Amino acid sequence: MKQISVNAPFRYSIEDTECPKPSKGEVLIKMKAAGVCGSDFHLFLGENPMAEFPRIPGHENAGIIEEVGEGVTKIKKGDHVVVDLVVACGTCKQCKSGRRNICRSVKARGAAVDGGWREYFIAAEHEVYLLPEDLPFQEAALIEPFAIGGHCTKRAGVQGSDVVLVLGMGTIGTIILQVCKEKGCTVICADIKDNFLKRAEDFGADFIINTKTEDLHGRIQEYTNGEGADVIFDAAGYPGSLSMLLQKGIPANGARIVPLGFCTSEENITQSMINGRELSIIGTRMSSGQFEPTIEKFRQKAYRLAGIVSDTISFSEIDRVFKNMQNPPEDMAKMVILFGD
Ligand SMILES: [Zn+2]
Ligand SMILES: [Zn+2]
């Protein structure tokens, strides 16, 4: 079988290796589709301080069960599955309270442990979820990022009556938009790219704001009748983005603000900014308990998937994926790698 290894920033190799055998409680997955996510970019571009090399990227993995190990009861050969991005111990306090995503020894697939950019790989039975047979694998690769959308909106306690502001209309911003629209929210989308804002409109955004050419504060005041937004997602996460979003007049009193990135620069935030309006700043990491409900939403066709993926690339043409990561084409939104039969 073939596998991709990122050996150092900007360096990768295509390796021939032996197909692994599943041990007790494990399953062998034949890969069918793998999404390319921002964190795969960070790994390859050397922008993930927690990454160790060599590493097989990929945490948005969908495939078919090829073989099951001893003691596997819920999954059988031929089942279609997606794989959890979280690898957790299952025994710590956090795991036991249903928060595997913040397990004390949590590992993200494709970053801290090897991911799915290979023809076959092994996962624990409890880390794979059954898919409807008629769901195309190309769509199944989007279940993981939609699980992220499900998780962060749950963390924020989003309800249909909320006015939501999403900054950053890349894949995750677009997904949060859809999850919030599905709940019945009014959603305001902000970005600096007109083509991303146009797409947000197509996906149901109630208002769009180009933060490069328009005044975010003024527009928010206008669109919320001076109230501000009830929930704010910072899916852009650049230095200063969080301080900008906390400006007077952008969050409503009592608003919940969810930063989604891992930006390490300091922000200009004071206690008074938070407590004067009793804001909640809510952390979110990966997802927990969201795969099954997300698969159910996919089964119900609750989301619009067309237009999220801009480039499907065959595994045999993996060089194109790395080329696009190094020099992203202007019109590229998201890549999905498709494996052969
Ligand atoms: Zn991802
Ligand atoms: Zn744990």
Side-chain angles (χ1 to χ4, degrees), residues 88-96 99-100 102-106:
C89 77
T91 57
C92 73
K93 188 176 168 185
Q94 284 76 9
C95 280
K96 281 184 173 160
R99 301 180 73 179
R100 300 176 64 250
I102 49 165
C103 165
R104 283 183 214 171
S105 53
V106 71

Side-chain angles (χ1 to χ4, degrees), residues 119-308:
E119 289 175 311
Y120 294 88
F121 81 103
I122 300 270
E125 178 188 22
H126 64 87
E127 285 166 356
V128 303
Y129 305 92
L130 279 174
L131 293 174
E133 298 261 311
D134 59 350
L135 184 74
F137 286 108
Q138 187 178 326
E139 293 184 8
L142 294 174
I143 288 170
E144 189 281 323
F146 269 90
I148 300 278
H151 184 75
C152 68
T153 51
K154 187 179 177 200
R155 290 280 300 147
V158 172
Q159 290 173 350
S161 56
D162 286 325
V163 176
V164 178
L165 166 63
V166 186
L167 177 72
M169 294 316 296
T171 303
I172 290 295
T174 299
I175 287 171
I176 293 169
L177 160 65
Q178 288 211 36
V179 173
C180 291
K181 283 313 292 178
E182 210 258 335
K183 291 180 192 288
C185 305
T186 299
V187 186
I188 306 169
C189 295
D191 201 288
I192 52 169
K193 282 184 169 175
D194 280 327
N195 56 339
F196 277 22
L197 289 168
K198 172 74 184 60
R199 181 174 69 157
E201 246 178 350
D202 294 343
F203 282 131
D206 296 278
F207 303 102
I208 54 169
I209 304 171
N210 186 323
T211 51
K212 209 156 133 187
T213 57
E214 294 175 273
D215 168 34
L216 178 68
H217 174 269
R219 285 283 181 261
I220 294 294
Q221 283 287 299
E222 183 187 333
Y223 298 147
T224 62
N225 297 320
E227 297 269 351
D230 302 308
V231 183
I232 300 177
F233 292 97
D234 181 2
Y238 55 83
S241 61
L242 197 53
S243 311
M244 178 184 79
L245 291 169
L246 291 183
Q247 279 174 72
K248 200 163 180 293
I250 295 181
N253 285 356
R256 294 92 80 196
I257 294 101
V258 183
L260 283 138
F262 285 86
C263 195
T264 53
S265 65
E266 287 176 14
E267 298 278 338
N268 278 317
I269 296 171
T270 63
Q271 292 198 359
S272 154
M273 282 165 86
I274 297 169
N275 292 334
R277 294 165 285 175
E278 203 172 66
L279 303 179
S280 302
I281 311 232
I282 301 168
T284 188
R285 187 170 184 204
M286 303 189 280
S287 69
S288 183
Q290 288 295 325
F291 274 85
E292 279 153 339
T294 303
I295 291 166
E296 180 54 24
K297 293 279 185 201
F298 271 53
R299 206 186 53 75
Q300 296 166 0
K301 303 200 185 310
Y303 303 125
R304 218 189 97 179
L305 304 177
I308 292 180

